[in-house]
Each structure stands twice: as structure tokens, then as C-alpha cells.
Amino acid sequence: MPDVPESTDSLKAFGAVVKAFRERAGLTQEQLAPLVRYSNQTVASIEQGRRLPPKDFIDRAEEALDAFGTLRAAAKYLSRQQGLASWFLRWAEEEKTALSLNVYECRVLPGLLQTEAYMRAVILSVPPLASAEVVEQRVAARLARQQLLHRQPSVTFSFIIEQALLERHTGGIEVTREVVGSLLDCAELCNVDIQIMPLHQPDHAGHDGPLQLLETPGHEWFGYTEGNRHNLLISDLGTVSAMQQRYAKMRSQALTPEDSVSLLKRMREAL
């Protein structure tokens, strides 16, 4: 999943408010920068809606610009999380209150099941290479999402993972050993089912690629797919139904959760 932050309307609106108060105060971006203790480039990026403002920036700008609470109020409506792309935001919001989440992946391990070392190996494998700052943002965002696994009330998770993803040894043997151990730990959670799709499975319903399905507290279902810069949150009932049918078929084709755990244990012993 790409995690490159993208501008949103709320970020642009916040930036415009900062700019209006700065100009009201008779300050240039260069003059405001030392007052908020950030660089000129950071001030410019925030005003242009290209960067999520850190909390201390908001507090310092509020004081420096005598904004009588306007910036803090506007910041509450910012709709981007640092390290998450804007197209992923609504899905991420729906995840927070989901009753159940079904995930099939055939490219990389689902972000909710990745170890930190695996995350870094994946991020640093895909050109163009990200800066150190962006890498840290992406890792922090993925680690934060993993709190969903332990949320109360709990989410019911089902994961179908291609065996080939583990056989690939992304990041090397040590990273793979840690990943397999982490998967085994997750499989022990009462709200998580992990199923491995074996290497040899002639009848495979997942040829259309990765998919996710989410049930809301109102028992609505949404689908989500992502590819190379094209990503969709799907609410159309017919399309979601077709995705549910494919997922149900794959669950019958993959190893059972019990057999998947046995396979993972054998793989760990072989590493």
C-alpha cells in the first residue's frame, strides 16, 4: 500500500487560514518561521496544504498570530493522518469502528500483520526511494493502525495470505523468521483468523488481485481495492457482493486456520 501523503481540501483550507492570519499580522513566511520554530519551507508547505501541521506548530502559530483560537478550531477538521495517503483516509476512518474486516493479499503481507523490519524492507524495495523522514512516517502510520488488532470492542479479522509472500523472504531470513513468529502470535488472538493460500492451488478465485471487505456498526459492507496508483473504496451493493463471493470462495480454497498455523510452524523451523 502506498503511503505518500497527499493534499486534501481540509489541509488547503487550514493553510489558507494560516496565511490570512499571517498577512493580517503583517508577517512574511520568513518572519513567521522563527516564531513557530520551523523552517521557511515548512511554513510554505503548510500554507499550501501540502503538509499536516504538527501540534506544536499550531500552538505556536496561534500565539504568534494572535488567532484567538481559530487555528486550533480549524485543526480539528484536518482529514489527513501523517503517513497515510489521502485516498486511504476514509477507509482508515471506517476501520476504526468496523465490526469485521476481511483481507486478501497477494503482493505483500497486509499492513496490519507486518513487523517493523518487514515494513522497512518493503518500503525501501520500491523505487523511487523514500527519504528517511517519509520512511519514518510510513512506518509510524502502519504501526499505529495495528492497534486495531487489540481494539475493544474487538474487530473480527480474517486474513488470506499467499504462501509465496513468505517464501520470497522479503528483507532476508531473519526478517522472515520474525514475520512468521509474529503471524503465529496474531493467529492466537481470539478475533483473528489467518489462512495461507498454498503455492499449488489450481482453482484460485483471487486472480483479480487483492481485496478488502469491511462491515460497519450499521451492518453496511464496503469493499476496497488498490493497485499501482489507482485505489477505490467501493459501496456499490452489486460490486461488494461480487467481492464477498470471491472472498468466500478463497476461504474455501485456502488452508484452514489450524492447517495454516501448522504450516507456519514448519516454515519457522525450516528457516
Side-chain angles (χ1 to χ4, degrees):
M1 178 191 74
D3 296 291
V4 180
E6 299 175 358
S7 183
T8 65
D9 288 343
S10 61
L11 280 173
K12 293 176 181 177
F14 180 86
V17 172
V18 173
K19 181 179 179 181
F21 274 97
R22 174 178 59 76
E23 291 177 343
R24 171 179 172 271
L27 299 174
T28 64
Q29 290 179 347
E30 291 75 13
Q31 291 170 326
L32 177 60
L35 298 179
V36 294
R37 285 179 265 173
Y38 278 91
S39 67
N40 299 345
Q41 292 82 359
T42 297
V43 173
S45 293
I46 291 172
E47 287 192 358
Q48 293 163 14
R50 295 188 290 107
R51 176 169 177 170
L52 186 74
K55 184 180 183 305
D56 55 357
F57 174 94
I58 297 168
D59 292 338
R60 293 166 190 164
E62 183 74 50
E63 181 177 352
L65 300 177
D66 190 24
F68 46 86
T70 302
L71 297 183
R72 290 193 183 95
K76 295 178 181 178
Y77 298 95
L78 291 174
S79 63
R80 196 182 78 185
Q81 299 175 26
Q82 194 171 24
L84 294 181
S86 61
W87 45 257
F88 186 69
L89 282 173
R90 186 181 173 194
W91 183 259
E93 287 300 310
E94 294 289 353
E95 278 186 337
K96 293 178 181 178
T97 57
L99 296 181
S100 60
L101 184 65
N102 302 335
V103 180
Y104 165 64
E105 259 298 353
C106 56
R107 305 163 307 168
V108 295
L109 290 176
L112 289 169
L113 298 178
Q114 294 179 8
T115 64
E116 182 173 345
Y118 183 92
M119 294 174 193
R120 295 181 185 277
V122 170
I123 293 169
L124 295 174
S125 295
V126 182
L129 295 182
S131 67
E133 179 182 6
V134 170
V135 170
E136 294 308 314
Q137 288 179 0
R138 294 180 182 180
V139 169
R142 294 186 193 184
L143 289 174
R145 281 185 64 227
Q146 291 182 354
Q147 296 173 7
L148 283 171
L149 295 170
H150 308 283
R151 195 199 76 190
Q152 293 298 326
S154 61
V155 185
T156 300
F157 289 98
S158 168
F159 296 97
I160 301 174
I161 304 166
E162 293 287 343
Q163 182 180 346
L165 299 181
L166 299 171
E167 300 285 1
R168 187 176 297 152
H169 294 173
T170 298
I173 296 297
E174 290 303 319
V175 171
T176 303
R177 183 181 292 111
E178 181 187 24
V179 162
V180 173
S182 178
L183 291 176
L184 287 168
D185 290 341
C186 288
E188 292 182 358
L189 298 174
C190 61
N191 60 318
V192 177
D193 277 345
I194 295 177
Q195 293 181 253
I196 305 297
M197 184 68 76
L199 286 174
H200 304 290
Q201 177 50 272
D203 185 19
H204 195 320
H207 291 305
D208 279 355
L211 66 86
Q212 299 187 47
L213 291 159
L214 178 150
E215 182 185 11
T216 72
H219 305 294
E220 295 180 286
W221 283 89
F222 291 105
Y224 181 77
T225 63
E226 58 185 30
N228 187 15
R229 306 304 298 173
H230 63 277
N231 311 276
L232 296 173
L233 189 150
I234 301 163
S235 59
D236 176 73
L237 295 178
T239 305
V240 172
S241 175
M243 295 172 71
Q244 289 174 319
Q245 292 176 50
R246 289 199 293 271
Y247 194 82
K249 184 68 173 179
M250 282 189 285
R251 289 202 73 173
S252 71
Q253 295 165 338
L255 300 177
T256 66
E258 294 76 15
D259 288 343
S260 296
V261 166
S262 296
L263 174 61
L264 289 169
K265 288 180 178 178
R266 295 196 300 273
M267 293 180 71
R268 182 173 61 179
E269 291 171 0
L271 290 170

